[in-house]
Amino acid sequence: MSYYDYYNVNEQDDKIQLSDHFSYSRLVRFATPSIIMMICTTIFGVIDGFFISNFVGKTAFASINLILPFLQIIGSMGVILGADGSALIARALGSGDKDRAGRYFTMTMIATLLGGLLFTVVGLVMLRPMAYLLGATEEMIGDCVTYGSICLLFNLFYLAQRVLQEYLVVAEKPRLALKIMLIAGAANIVLDLIFVHPAFLNMGVSGAAISTGICEVLAAAIPFAWFVSRRNKTAIRFRQTRVEWNTLRRAGITGSSDTISAMSASVIGMLYNMQLMHYAGENGVAAYGVVMYASFIFTAIFSGYSVGTAPIMGYHYGAGNQSEMRNVFKKSITMLSVAAAAMVVLISLLARPFSAIFVGYDWKLLDLTTRAFIICMLPYLMMWFNTYLSTVFTALDKGPMAAALTACRVIIFPVVCIIVMPLLWELDGVWFALTGAELLGVIVIGLAFFTQKRKFGY
């Protein structure tokens, strides 16, 4: 039995299609692979952090967390055209135009890789100056530049696996996408152990970056092989295309909501690090790094569900099926709200044990991290709403509105809160800043939705 035969055995009986009516269980089954894929993608950085913190040291751990937001910005800018690619393809499939779906697939993939190449070069040029701007000390700058340079050299593979994983979901192959990410995640753990652990190669931060890069190559190569293989019977395959500038412009505008969200999270991370270097020094940055690892999991769950269900909304929007759009929306709101509350309670109870995994060797740092951990979980009671609504607007071709709302929630509000609140409450003001920003975001996005709901049948 061949590799692809294995993944296609007996799938037809329980295969979920975009045209289906979705119950709670079918929504969960359809979105779960995307959620786990997102978690696996973020786990790459978490695994690096664990090995670096425990086997290289606190300074190296603070260094990679200081430069990581800049690397995330470069990655987000590279996928700005590909971010709306899945929605474009889903809408084309929903309208019955399979040829257009294939052309959009090819065009957005090419645009993503070309854009990614440009921003990779920009990132390499700006890496050292940016590290100094963010507050890197002479003890940190070497690790910042080493880790960042290696990660950027693998950036095109990171972008390719990001986009191809989303396209596998639109191709109704979420299980294959999930298995690919599980393989890559397991490989990352093994390679980090080999490259970073003192008992083996002991390569420090460079070993962690190389192991992550190898796994990104793996996560991109397997879905690429599937899309060009004969096993791909869908309309989503590489074919001759031409540049459709208006479509690319719309994709850039519509996809900018998700891209702005990802980029702004990185900008906020940079501001956080600058404020923490001022109020708490290296320990503050290290504590924030641990908190962000937990937040990556929250964000991955919310974003994974939103991205996973966006093709459903886009398909039924293209087909004019407002009743199913309404059904999916109501069920999603219910599930996400319950899940967010449960996760916040659970993670808050596990704050100290989780922190000890990364910084248990330093009791002062552990106490600081635990306090920050509990405070920084509060925004996630609201973040699910803001993340999902932004994705809904994107899927329904309301890109400019989604981009404007996202800019308010994830750029304007957080920047104001991070600058102003520490002036009033110092270090606690830094930790509480995102809670204030998400609360303002709920108000603005909620008002925008209620002004538009009739237009989309809600």
Side-chain angles (χ1 to χ4, degrees), residues 433-454:
L434 286 188
T435 302
E438 288 296 335
L439 180 59
L440 293 173
V442 167
I443 295 171
V444 172
I445 291 180
L447 289 173
F449 172 73
F450 281 108
T451 62
Q452 294 289 320
K453 67 176 185 176
R454 290 186 182 277

Side-chain angles (χ1 to χ4, degrees), residues 252-323:
I253 295 173
T254 305
S256 64
S257 172
D258 295 330
T259 304
I260 288 172
S261 181
M263 288 175 58
S264 61
S266 301
V267 171
I268 299 308
M270 294 164 67
L271 287 176
Y272 249 108
N273 285 334
M274 294 172 72
Q275 290 283 54
L276 288 169
M277 286 294 290
H278 176 71
Y279 287 103
E282 186 179 287
N283 277 359
V285 176
Y288 180 65
V290 177
V291 172
M292 285 300 97
Y293 289 155
S295 77
F296 289 163
I297 297 173
F298 273 89
T299 304
I301 292 172
F302 299 148
S303 298
Y305 182 88
S306 300
V307 169
T309 57
I312 301 172
M313 298 293 283
Y315 181 93
H316 289 287
Y317 179 65
N321 188 354
Q322 291 188 342
S323 64

Side-chain angles (χ1 to χ4, degrees), residues 28 50 195 209 259 351 375:
V28 171
F50 169 79
F195 289 151
T259 304
I375 294 173

Side-chain angles (χ1 to χ4, degrees), residues 4 25 31 38 49 78 87 140 230 233 259 269 348 351 396 400 410 417 436 446:
Y4 293 114
S25 62
M38 285 285 189
M140 298 169 67
R230 294 180 179 179
K233 304 298 183 181
T259 304
S348 296
L396 303 185
V410 298
C417 290

Side-chain angles (χ1 to χ4, degrees), residues 27-50:
L27 270 175
V28 171
R29 286 170 55 202
F30 192 83
T32 294
S34 294
I35 294 171
I36 298 178
M37 281 188 295
M38 285 285 189
I39 292 175
C40 288
T41 300
T42 60
I43 285 294
F44 289 166
V46 176
I47 294 169
D48 284 354
F50 169 79

